[in-house]
Amino acid sequence: MKKLFRKRKKDSKNFKRFCKMGLYINLIFLGIFLSSIFYLGLGAFKQTYIYTKADRNSVAYELLSRSEQRQIRANQVQGEGWFLANAEVDQYVKNNYHKLNESQIQLVNELMQKDQIQLKFNTNFFLNGDSKSPENSGIFSSVVGTLLVMVVCMVVSIPIGVGAAIYLEEFAPQNLFTHFIEVCINNLASIPSILFGLLGLGVFINLFGMPRSSALAGGLTLAIMSLPIIIVSTKAALKSVDINMKNAAYALGMTKYQMIKGIMLPLAMPMILTGSILTLAQAIGETAPLMIIGMIAFIPDVATSIFSPTSVLPAQIFSWSAMPERAFLERTAAGILVLLGLLVILNLSAILLRKYFQGKNS
């Protein structure tokens, strides 16, 4: 008996060590991933500027970006000032790979000695839309498109998902048909997301004629992808409510509607909100279904409504990663940092809302 007890104790310690080792390995890989993203992406938050004359005959004219050169040729700017440098100069100043020739390198070094080249905060990255020139590219249009898509997804998926879960849990008869529906919902929660993109392409765009690459089509596609997960999490939240609370409500003469509204939903609301917000956080990072409905296209303009063509941040990151210019590499990493920041905000909001409703219920 003592040998068996010692063996069980030893196995328990070994299993605990194995679990700790798995956790530490995951933390190591997470640290490597985040450090590499920060190392690559932090450079995109600064951009190289050159102090020179707004003249085509200036020695630094060939070092400027194409947008600055167009403005100078069109006489839209006059005098001297700080002008945006092209991507190759920016990469050289940041000690990255570049394609400058020897004479251009010598000219850049001379300007740096004269303090006519400086790294400044890259406002273009946050205020501009997508561009074929790395130095002018930004995430503003894709962030606006992401917010519009998530608003459509949230407005559609949360009310329908919560309502469907309440009906299946409290009102639907327990028969073979409802059991089949629940099995289908559980299966839909685990299928690949690209299949929802095909469904959105076939139903929302081809059948109903919604604008391609619009926030409406993208939001509805993500909504049907999020519905199964919201329904499953809401059903679990409703099941977690103590049966004695429900019986007490009925004993006081409440109807089923009053019991659900006054007892079940307030008690299950922390878990419902947490599951819904985490589902939206997962949907905000989806790229495959949005690529199918055309949101991977080059759209530099900011969407003015849910019917306007737009792009989203994950698709923007994907398109930047496929660009041949090396300067887009740090833009890609910086876009990932922004996307991670949005996910952190959503997760923190889920935690805060859960604590708020738990404190309110207690």
Side-chain angles (χ1 to χ4, degrees):
M1 191 69 180
K2 290 183 178 180
K3 291 183 179 180
L4 181 62
F5 178 75
R6 290 173 182 172
K7 184 177 182 302
R8 289 177 59 185
K9 191 175 181 179
K10 183 179 179 181
D11 293 339
S12 177
K13 289 183 178 180
N14 291 334
F15 181 72
K16 188 176 180 180
R17 292 193 189 100
F18 178 78
C19 293
K20 282 186 177 180
M21 183 176 64
L23 175 63
Y24 294 151
I25 291 175
N26 287 330
L27 290 176
I28 290 172
F29 280 109
L30 179 62
I32 293 173
F33 167 73
L34 292 178
S35 60
S36 62
I37 294 298
F38 272 99
Y39 176 77
L40 292 173
L42 288 179
F45 297 115
K46 286 189 176 182
Q47 188 67 34
T48 303
Y49 285 83
I50 301 176
Y51 188 84
T52 184
K53 294 181 179 180
D55 188 358
R56 297 180 63 178
N57 297 322
S58 172
V59 293
Y61 176 78
E62 63 175 343
L63 302 179
L64 302 181
S65 66
R66 285 179 288 181
S67 61
E68 300 282 22
Q69 291 178 355
R70 284 195 299 267
Q71 291 181 357
I72 292 175
R73 289 196 300 266
N75 294 323
Q76 296 179 356
V77 289
Q78 302 290 334
E80 298 182 352
W82 291 98
F83 295 92
L84 184 66
N86 61 39
E88 301 302 329
V89 175
D90 182 64
Q91 292 296 290
Y92 174 76
V93 173
K94 295 175 181 176
N95 297 321
N96 296 330
Y97 176 82
H98 61 88
K99 296 181 180 179
L100 297 179
N101 55 41
E102 293 297 330
S103 59
Q104 291 173 333
I105 293 175
Q106 183 177 0
L107 177 58
V108 170
N109 291 333
E110 292 176 358
L111 293 174
M112 291 176 65
Q113 291 177 356
K114 297 177 182 178
D115 203 22
Q116 290 182 286
I117 291 183
Q118 291 184 4
L119 282 171
K120 298 184 177 182
F121 183 73
N122 189 7
T123 56
N124 292 334
F125 182 76
F126 296 97
L127 300 180
N128 288 2
D130 195 11
S131 174
K132 296 297 183 181
S133 301
E135 63 272 9
N136 290 313
S137 59
I139 60 170
F140 183 66
S141 60
S142 60
V143 169
V144 172
T146 301
L147 295 177
L148 291 175
V149 168
M150 296 313 299
V151 167
V152 174
C153 176
M154 180 178 62
V155 169
V156 174
S157 62
I158 293 180
I160 296 178
V162 174
I166 292 174
Y167 175 77
L168 291 173
E169 188 65 25
E170 295 296 327
F171 295 98
Q174 299 300 317
N175 53 29
L176 185 62
F177 180 68
T178 55
H179 180 68
F180 174 75
I181 291 177
E182 292 180 358
V183 170
C184 291
I185 291 173
N186 292 328
N187 290 333
L188 285 173
S190 59
I191 67 173
S193 60
I194 194 171
L195 298 181
F196 290 103
L198 294 173
L199 179 62
L201 177 65
V203 175
F204 300 128
I205 295 179
N206 295 336
L207 183 61
F208 293 109
M210 293 182 182
R212 193 179 180 91
S213 303
S214 64
L216 179 62
L220 292 176
T221 302
L222 293 182
I224 61 174
M225 187 193 72
S226 304
L227 270 176
I229 306 176
I230 293 177
I231 293 173
V232 171
S233 62
T234 303
K235 280 174 61 63
L238 295 174
K239 288 179 180 178
S240 66
V241 177
D242 190 0
I243 189 66
N244 295 323
M245 299 293 293
K246 298 167 61 176
N247 293 334
Y250 288 134
L252 292 173
M254 288 186 178
T255 63
K256 178 167 283 193
Y257 169 76
Q258 291 174 332
M259 185 273 297
I260 293 173
K261 180 182 177 181
I263 302 298
M264 289 196 67
L265 281 180
L267 292 176
M269 190 58 67
M271 289 184 62
I272 292 175
L273 284 177
T274 301
S276 299
I277 294 176
L278 293 180
T279 303
L280 294 177
Q282 177 187 354
I284 200 176
E286 290 291 342
T287 308
L290 300 180
M291 290 171 58
I292 298 296
I293 62 173
M295 301 193 79
I296 196 67
F298 176 73
I299 305 174
D301 299 326
V302 179
T304 56
S305 69
I306 60 175
F307 303 101
S308 304
T310 186
S311 181
V312 289
L313 199 52
Q316 182 82 74
I317 293 170
F318 177 80
S319 61
W320 279 349
S321 66
M323 289 292 183
E325 292 88 349
R326 292 292 294 270
F328 276 112
L329 180 62
E330 62 181 14
R331 264 71 179 175
T332 302
I336 294 174
L337 291 177
V338 175
L339 182 59
L340 289 175
L342 292 176
L343 294 176
V344 169
I345 292 174
L346 285 175
N347 282 275
L348 286 177
S349 62
I351 295 172
L352 293 176
L353 286 173
R354 182 179 61 191
K355 289 186 176 181
Y356 170 76
F357 281 100
Q358 285 177 347
K360 190 174 181 180
N361 291 335
S362 63

